[in-house]
Amino acid sequence: MRSFILVIIMILGITGCSFDKTVSVTEKTEVKTQYQVVDDKGNILYFTDTPKRIYATTLSLEEILTDLVPLERIAAISEPAADPKISLIADKAAQIPLKLPQKVSAEQILAIKPDLVIVQENSNTAFIQSLKDVGLKVYITKIPTTLDMVRKRIIKLSEAVVVVLHQLMKW
């Protein structure tokens, strides 16, 4: 297992991703992760463990997130994500118990106790700052306009939520 993790770390280092990760194993063979990621605005987020309660603020981010992590790691999902008329992930969204309205307040997000909030750069600056002010880790991502930017977005988000790299290589 340790050699597998070391191979992943080496691959990420070789590919030039902005991902710095160290791994240690506790006595109970539980993997403890310490890493940092840089979001698209240059903010450095430090993690002492893999995020277990993630919240993404837009449907496009939710669509990516539901393919990157097990659904139980998603703290809540938007009501539009559960609407089969507009959502590509309605079946997955139905499995996530907590649904929040499309327009959500910082207080509503704080109430679900996420350990990572993912927002797009076009989100209200005051809203983003209020999330940071209450101590939440906020990852800001650019809105992709090319296929290459979409790929980079997925890879960078996978780094933030710690996804095994071979899962991304399927596409």
Side-chain angles (χ1 to χ4, degrees), residues 108-170:
Q108 288 171 305
I109 294 174
L110 183 61
I112 63 172
K113 298 181 173 95
D115 47 14
L116 177 62
V117 179
I118 305 168
V119 301
Q120 290 190 150
E121 68 180 342
N122 65 339
S123 297
N124 181 298
T125 307
F127 172 72
I128 294 172
Q129 190 57 50
S130 67
L131 294 174
K132 291 179 178 182
D133 287 347
V134 295
L136 295 176
K137 285 188 177 131
V138 180
Y139 184 98
I140 304 169
T141 180
K142 289 184 178 182
I143 299 170
T145 55
T146 67
L147 182 56
D148 187 52
M149 287 177 74
V150 170
R151 286 185 178 124
K152 286 179 182 174
R153 181 186 222 190
I154 293 168
I155 290 169
K156 288 187 74 171
L157 287 175
S158 72
E159 293 169 356
V161 299
V162 184
V163 172
V164 179
L165 190 60
H166 77 271
Q167 291 176 355
L168 293 179
M169 297 305 175
K170 293 178 184 175

Side-chain angles (χ1 to χ4, degrees), residues 1 4-5 8-9 12 19-23 31-37 45-52 54 65 67-70 73 116 118 139 154-168:
M1 180 68 175
F4 178 71
I5 293 172
I8 290 173
I9 292 170
L12 290 173
F19 183 69
D20 179 20
K21 178 178 173 183
T22 56
V23 177
V31 176
K32 268 294 198 203
T33 309
Q34 294 182 352
Y35 64 102
Q36 67 183 34
V37 293
L45 286 86
Y46 298 93
F47 294 89
T48 55
D49 206 355
T50 303
K52 304 285 188 278
I54 306 164
L65 191 59
D67 281 338
L68 287 178
V69 299
R73 288 182 55 198
L116 177 62
I118 305 168
Y139 184 98
I154 293 168
I155 290 169
K156 288 187 74 171
L157 287 175
S158 72
E159 293 169 356
V161 299
V162 184
V163 172
V164 179
L165 190 60
H166 77 271
Q167 291 176 355
L168 293 179

